[in-house]
Amino acid sequence: MTHAASPYSQLDDLIALRFHVKPRRLVPQQKLISEKGGYHQAVRKGRGMDFSEVREYTAGDDVRHIDWKVSARTQKTHTKVFTEELEKPVVCVLEQSPALFFGSRTRFKSDLALQLATLLGWVTFQQGDRFGGLVFNHLGHQWVEPRHQQASIMQFVHQGLALQQQLKSPKTGSTQFTADATAPSLWLPMLNRLQQHLKPGTRVFLIGDFIDCGDALVAKCAQLKRHADLSLIHVYDPLEAQLPALGSLRLSDGEQEMALNSLDEAFRQRYADHYDQAWQTLHQQLAPWHLPLVAISTDEDPLQAMVAQGILR
């Protein structure tokens, strides 16, 4: 329900997302790791299920939890007992930098990122967990303490909208962080700030543009993964991945223009190869740490995309 006339997200649309996620739940982190993190292992059943003890089997116990090794040793059937974690905070770190103020189809990347974070907020709220996070752009940041309250989601949404409204062009302009506020240079200090708030066992979603993120950012993600369940959602526009054959094209960042001959097949192939190589490099950087990584495009429906990518079920 994006307003085509505006490059900015609309509050009414973000609130309305709540009514589209009622049957949805977050997919367990272990399943997401096995499918998107390059690590294949047995997936634990259930939400937030942690092993507690082994005891003798009684009528009504789930046969899938029978501990066959203990049963063979004792000659009596034993079952594993699991305890359910009632609450697990979900934290979103949302980028709203000038690099996301771009879109060739349907919506801007900044709008897509905020919609994805809002969807995660509503799903988290309805399944009984706490939601909060960190929103940032090239000018500042805002932290929202995770709580199981609708007010926390609305606070996060309003902060996201406020920082998004500060975006005027894909160029960075002035910044209080670095002289050249590229996405990687913004992400690293934000993850350092996140670490100050992070509690063990928190589920963290990083939402932004991670192409050319650099080794330092990957190392920081690996460090955070020791204490939290970390996943990355990369937002992109189709024009960044592939150039259509539409003749002479002019791209502008609001200040400068660049002419491209999109009918040159060799040039289009080099263009596509450049993005594909950057995407493969990102996968290779994250693979040793088994960090789930998904990509969602501006021309996709945000909710359907997160279901298709295995983040929601």
Side-chain angles (χ1 to χ4, degrees):
M1 296 188 299
T2 299
H3 293 236
S6 174
Y8 301 104
S9 301
Q10 303 297 313
L11 178 60
D12 290 346
D13 292 346
L14 297 173
I15 294 175
L17 292 174
R18 177 179 184 179
F19 305 104
H20 296 276
V21 299
K22 286 190 174 181
R24 301 299 179 185
R25 293 291 185 271
L26 284 171
V27 169
Q29 180 74 4
Q30 291 297 326
K31 182 175 178 61
L32 193 57
I33 290 175
S34 68
E35 294 181 354
K36 302 295 183 180
Y39 183 52
H40 301 282
Q41 62 179 36
V43 178
R44 293 183 296 179
K45 302 292 183 181
R47 166 181 166 272
M49 302 299 288
D50 292 324
F51 174 74
S52 177
E53 62 178 340
V54 174
R55 61 163 170 78
E56 284 193 34
Y57 179 87
T58 58
D61 287 340
D62 192 333
V63 295
R64 294 175 299 177
H65 295 159
I66 291 177
D67 190 321
W68 297 106
K69 290 184 178 180
V70 174
S71 299
R73 187 171 65 249
T74 62
Q75 296 300 303
K76 293 182 179 180
T77 305
H78 281 69
T79 185
K80 296 176 182 177
V81 178
F82 295 86
T83 58
E84 185 171 6
E85 205 174 312
L86 297 180
E87 242 189 37
K88 188 167 190 176
V90 173
V91 165
C92 277
V93 185
L94 172 65
E95 177 185 355
Q96 290 289 279
S97 75
L100 270 64
F101 197 64
F102 170 77
S104 67
R105 301 183 192 176
T106 312
R107 58 181 61 84
F108 274 35
K109 292 163 61 180
S110 50
D111 178 24
L112 172 61
L114 182 52
Q115 288 196 48
L116 293 173
T118 304
L119 283 165
L120 289 171
W122 289 128
V123 172
T124 300
F125 176 74
Q126 75 172 14
Q127 68 182 30
D129 290 328
R130 289 174 284 155
F131 176 82
L134 183 67
V135 188
F136 70 92
N137 67 7
H138 59 306
L139 298 175
H141 65 277
Q142 294 292 335
W143 168 256
V144 176
E145 189 68 26
R147 295 185 178 89
H148 182 232
Q149 298 175 359
Q150 182 173 322
S152 291
I153 301 173
M154 293 309 301
Q155 183 183 359
F156 185 93
V157 168
H158 281 293
Q159 297 292 359
L161 286 170
L163 293 184
Q164 188 184 99
Q165 287 288 332
Q166 295 176 346
L167 303 178
K168 304 303 178 183
S169 80
K171 287 186 69 68
T172 59
S174 61
T175 170
Q176 59 180 239
F177 297 132
T178 63
D180 179 19
T182 59
S185 66
L186 290 176
W187 268 102
L188 196 54
M190 288 303 103
L191 293 187
N192 286 329
R193 291 182 182 277
L194 171 68
Q195 194 169 19
Q196 299 172 11
H197 299 280
L198 207 55
K199 296 180 180 179
T202 300
R203 190 160 187 188
V204 179
F205 290 93
L206 310 182
I207 306 176
D209 187 341
F210 299 104
I211 291 294
D212 300 323
C213 66
D215 293 335
L217 181 58
V218 173
K220 190 64 184 180
C221 289
Q223 182 185 11
L224 292 174
K225 183 181 181 290
R226 299 173 188 170
H227 308 289
D229 294 334
L230 206 66
S231 301
L232 290 82
I233 303 178
H234 170 68
V235 297
Y236 73 100
D237 187 88
L239 190 59
E240 295 176 308
Q242 190 169 17
L243 197 63
L246 296 176
S248 180
L249 301 178
R250 291 188 177 275
L251 300 181
S252 172
D253 61 7
E255 295 183 8
Q256 297 179 333
E257 284 191 356
M258 178 173 61
L260 300 176
N261 180 13
S262 66
L263 295 180
D264 185 337
E265 185 176 347
F267 175 77
R268 291 203 315 275
Q269 186 60 52
R270 291 195 302 271
Y271 185 98
D273 289 345
H274 177 78
Y275 183 86
D276 185 63
Q277 181 58 50
W279 177 245
Q280 294 302 325
T281 298
L282 179 59
H283 264 285
Q284 293 167 6
Q285 289 174 307
L286 296 174
W289 310 106
H290 309 302
L291 289 164
L293 169 68
V294 302
I296 298 179
S297 169
T298 56
D299 62 352
E300 295 182 86
D301 177 86
L303 176 56
Q304 293 179 8
M306 283 207 287
V307 174
Q309 292 285 1
I311 298 171
L312 301 178
R313 61 186 177 191

